[in-house]
Amino acid sequence: MTVVERREIALVDLLDRLLAGGVVITGDITLRIADVDLVRIDLNALISSVNEQVPAPWGKLT
């Protein structure tokens, strides 16, 4: 095994890397019975960190 293969990343480090770059989650859920769509949910989410360079979309909170 090489050093790269044996490298372990802590969960906190992984979350820090993901939030620094941002994560997009997209999905569709459909509940159907007897080929009849009863409920459809579309999910689109952007998860990212917020700082001075990337301000919050809702503006400043006091």
Side-chain angles (χ1 to χ4, degrees):
M1 269 194 231
T2 65
V3 176
V4 174
E5 292 174 358
R6 294 178 26 203
R7 183 174 176 199
E8 295 181 15
I9 299 175
L11 181 59
V12 174
D13 294 333
L14 179 62
L15 287 175
D16 185 48
R17 289 182 186 182
L18 289 175
L19 290 177
V23 178
V24 176
I25 300 172
T26 303
D28 297 321
I29 298 173
T30 303
L31 176 63
R32 67 173 26 176
I33 296 176
D35 291 331
V36 176
D37 292 346
L38 299 176
V39 177
R40 182 173 180 194
I41 300 172
D42 294 328
L43 172 67
N44 295 309
L46 171 64
I47 301 172
S48 179
S49 61
V50 177
N51 58 30
E52 291 81 23
Q53 288 82 26
V54 183
W58 53 82
K60 284 191 171 185
L61 298 176
T62 56

